[in-house]
C-alpha cells in the first residue's frame, strides 16, 4: 500500500491519547487504496475467466478427461499459430514498409510494391 511518508507511518493502536483506533484513512491515500483493491479484484476475475476451465476440470474431471483436454488445447493452439503466423508476419512487414516509406506523390504506393 501507499503511504504519503513512510518514516512517520503509524499503524492503528488503542494507546493513542485514549481516543482508540486511528483511522487508516489518515495514513494511506484513499484513492490509491481504492485502485489497489479494484486492480486486485480485476486480477482475480481475469484469473477465473482465463483459468476457470482448467480449475473445474481439475476438480471434477478424471485423468482421461484431463488428458484429452490438455491434448486438445495444445494442438488447437498450435493449429491457430500455424495458420495465423504467416498473416501476422506479412502484416508486420507491410506496416514496417509503410512507416519507413511515406506515400509518394508519384502514385506508386508501398502496397503495390509489397505484392
Amino acid at each position: 500500500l501507499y503511504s504519503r511518508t513512510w518514516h512517520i507511518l503509524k499503524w492503528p493502536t488503542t494507546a493513542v491519547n485514549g481516543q482508540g483506533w486511528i483511522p487508516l484513512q489518515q495514513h494511506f491515500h484513499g484513492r490509491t487504496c481504492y485502485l489497489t483493491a479494484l486492480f486486485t479484484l480485476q486480477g482475480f476475475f481475469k484469473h477465473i475467466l482465463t483459468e476457470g476451465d482448467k480449475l473445474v476440470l481439475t476438480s471434477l474431471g478424471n485423468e482421461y478427461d484431463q488428458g484429452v483436454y490438455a491434448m486438445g488445447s495444445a494442438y488447437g493452439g498450435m493449429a491457430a499459430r500455424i495458420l495465423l503466423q504467416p498473416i501476422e508476419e506479412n502484416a508486420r512487414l507491410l506496416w514496417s514498409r509503410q512507416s519507413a516509406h511515406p506515400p509518394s506523390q508519384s502514385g506508386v504506393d508501398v502496397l503495390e510494391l509489397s505484392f
Side-chain angles (χ1 to χ4, degrees):
L1 293 175
Y2 171 77
S3 173
R4 293 184 185 170
T5 54
W6 284 101
H7 66 281
I8 62 168
L9 180 66
K10 297 176 185 173
W11 293 97
T13 180
T14 57
V16 177
N17 299 332
Q19 295 176 358
W21 290 88
I22 299 173
L24 284 176
Q25 291 84 4
Q26 291 179 359
H27 299 293
F28 293 104
H29 188 252
R31 181 75 176 151
T32 305
C33 290
Y34 172 76
L35 287 175
T36 301
L38 188 66
F39 289 148
T40 303
L41 183 64
Q42 181 183 5
F44 284 133
F45 188 65
K46 180 182 176 186
H47 181 69
I48 289 171
L49 287 178
T50 56
E51 301 294 326
D53 54 347
K54 295 176 189 171
L55 295 172
V56 169
L57 185 64
T58 302
S59 61
L60 300 177
N62 57 19
E63 292 83 11
Y64 178 78
D65 293 338
Q66 292 176 11
V68 169
Y69 177 82
M71 187 181 300
S73 68
Y75 284 127
M78 185 172 38
R81 285 191 299 271
I82 289 172
L83 293 175
L84 297 177
Q85 185 178 9
I87 297 170
E88 180 184 359
E89 289 177 0
N90 286 331
R92 187 179 300 127
L93 179 65
L94 175 66
W95 292 328
S96 65
R97 285 183 184 175
Q98 285 180 341
S99 65
H101 305 291
S104 63
Q105 299 295 336
S106 67
V108 178
D109 198 27
V110 177
L111 261 171
E112 295 173 6
L113 293 175
S114 65
F115 295 106

